[in-house]
Amino acid sequence: MKKIGRNDPCPCGSGKKFKNCHLGKEEELTLEGMGEFSADMSRRITSLPQVWYGRSREMVGSLNIHKLTGVRAGIRLIDMDRYMDLDLLGRSRPSDEEKITGGLLVNVLKTQASDPDNMYIAISRDIGESALVHQLAHVLDYLGGSKLMPGLAKPLSYDLQIPVEHVEHPHEFGFWLDYLYTHFDVQPDADDAIVVYLYQNDMLLKGSEIEEQQRTTLKSKSDRMMRFLSEKSQEIDDLICELPGYIGSRVNEA
């Protein structure tokens, strides 16, 4: 597997250096050779011990994955720092500033060779409720929604020059996000509140449109989403202004 240098162009196609883009977030990339991820590398992930931080035990334990999605699969949570320390792509150890916090859905291509029955989420010790809900929504969306793995459509967003968030969070993901926030009685953070708002107003891209790379449709609907956010700017600000993660009006950046 080719080693990516910190100063090399990021494989996602953003034009940024790897260290300023996807260093530490390689599972989001469709890297050449990902299909060659060895069983030994897979076992290094799946052998990490299960962890239960925050409300994770309660949340995971209350989800009947088969009933919700029709797929028999489990969820295993592993420690974020120990996962990052595996150094699976031969990169340099990330600095404290580059470390990922919160949660991260591990690409199934990395784990299916040694444990095809479980989905893996790496979580930080201080993970909050909204971050847990967000990652669980990605699991349910992959198993019983759009069936898209987060991150794999990012190069398409750069190619079409549409916001990454538009392809990262399709309509089906919005359904599960809305469901889980209600199910667990959790207050969403500002970003997720916007995603739920867009879902409830039927503004999110469909998973099939992303998977089939319907370029004209994706660009048109992304532009429509941007106009909608602009038109509803005051309503959105009122919705998110007291939520965690609010950093001021971001309507024109969405």
Side-chain angles (χ1 to χ4, degrees):
M1 185 175 292
K2 181 181 178 182
K3 180 177 179 179
I4 307 168
R6 292 167 57 86
N7 293 312
D8 290 344
C10 187
C12 74
S14 66
K16 299 179 182 178
K17 291 182 179 180
F18 182 52
K19 67 181 181 181
N20 296 325
C21 195
H22 275 89
L23 177 63
K25 298 180 285 185
E26 291 85 354
E27 58 286 313
E28 296 180 349
L29 295 169
T30 311
L31 294 177
E32 182 179 359
M34 181 65 84
E36 300 170 4
F37 208 84
S38 71
D40 177 66
M41 290 180 177
S42 179
R43 280 191 295 271
R44 291 172 63 191
I45 300 174
T46 60
S47 64
L48 291 174
Q50 173 94 304
V51 298
W52 301 109
Y53 301 147
R55 286 182 63 189
S56 59
R57 185 188 295 271
E58 171 198 347
M59 287 185 176
V60 172
S62 72
L63 292 178
N64 187 328
I65 302 296
H66 181 245
K67 183 177 180 180
L68 290 171
T69 69
V71 178
R72 295 192 182 278
I75 298 175
R76 285 186 56 82
L77 306 176
I78 55 178
D79 181 81
M80 178 72 80
D81 288 340
R82 295 191 64 175
Y83 172 65
M84 298 301 298
D85 284 344
L86 291 177
D87 193 23
L88 296 170
L89 293 180
R91 57 176 173 77
S92 302
R93 183 186 177 92
S95 65
D96 289 340
E97 292 78 15
E98 294 169 330
K99 284 186 176 180
I100 300 173
T101 58
L104 182 69
L105 179 60
V106 179
N107 193 311
V108 294
L109 293 178
K110 293 184 175 183
T111 60
Q112 64 183 5
S114 58
D115 187 7
D117 298 325
N118 287 294
M119 303 282 292
Y120 282 73
I121 305 175
I123 61 175
S124 301
R125 289 182 178 274
D126 60 352
I127 190 168
E129 295 179 350
S130 61
L132 278 168
V133 166
H134 189 94
Q135 296 306 320
L136 291 173
H138 274 307
V139 170
L140 295 178
D141 181 42
Y142 178 77
L143 295 173
S146 72
K147 304 189 185 301
L148 297 173
M149 180 59 55
L152 297 188
K154 283 190 174 183
L156 178 64
S157 75
Y158 294 123
D159 187 31
L160 295 178
Q161 296 186 327
I162 63 177
V164 170
E165 291 79 6
H166 291 189
V167 295
E168 277 286 276
H169 304 128
H171 177 85
E172 297 85 350
F173 170 82
F175 168 82
W176 289 117
L177 195 66
D178 190 21
Y179 168 81
L180 290 174
Y181 272 118
T182 301
H183 180 72
F184 292 123
D185 191 24
V186 170
Q187 182 184 59
D189 62 22
D191 288 333
D192 277 356
I194 293 174
V195 176
V196 170
Y197 180 82
L198 290 169
Y199 162 73
Q200 292 174 344
N201 285 275
D202 196 27
M203 283 286 139
L204 297 176
L205 305 177
K206 300 298 191 296
S208 59
E209 297 165 349
I210 299 170
E211 182 178 20
E212 296 168 8
Q213 299 191 20
Q214 299 178 17
R215 304 170 74 85
T216 300
T217 298
L218 292 173
K219 181 63 176 174
S220 175
K221 293 184 71 171
S222 176
D223 290 344
R224 183 186 67 154
M225 199 186 313
M226 297 285 280
R227 290 193 300 271
F228 178 80
L229 288 169
S230 179
E231 293 166 359
K232 300 292 184 178
S233 59
Q234 187 58 58
E235 185 176 338
I236 292 171
D237 259 8
D238 292 343
L239 175 68
I240 68 174
C241 65
E242 296 183 0
L243 296 179
Y246 179 71
I247 58 174
S249 179
R250 295 169 291 173
V251 175
N252 293 329
E253 304 173 11

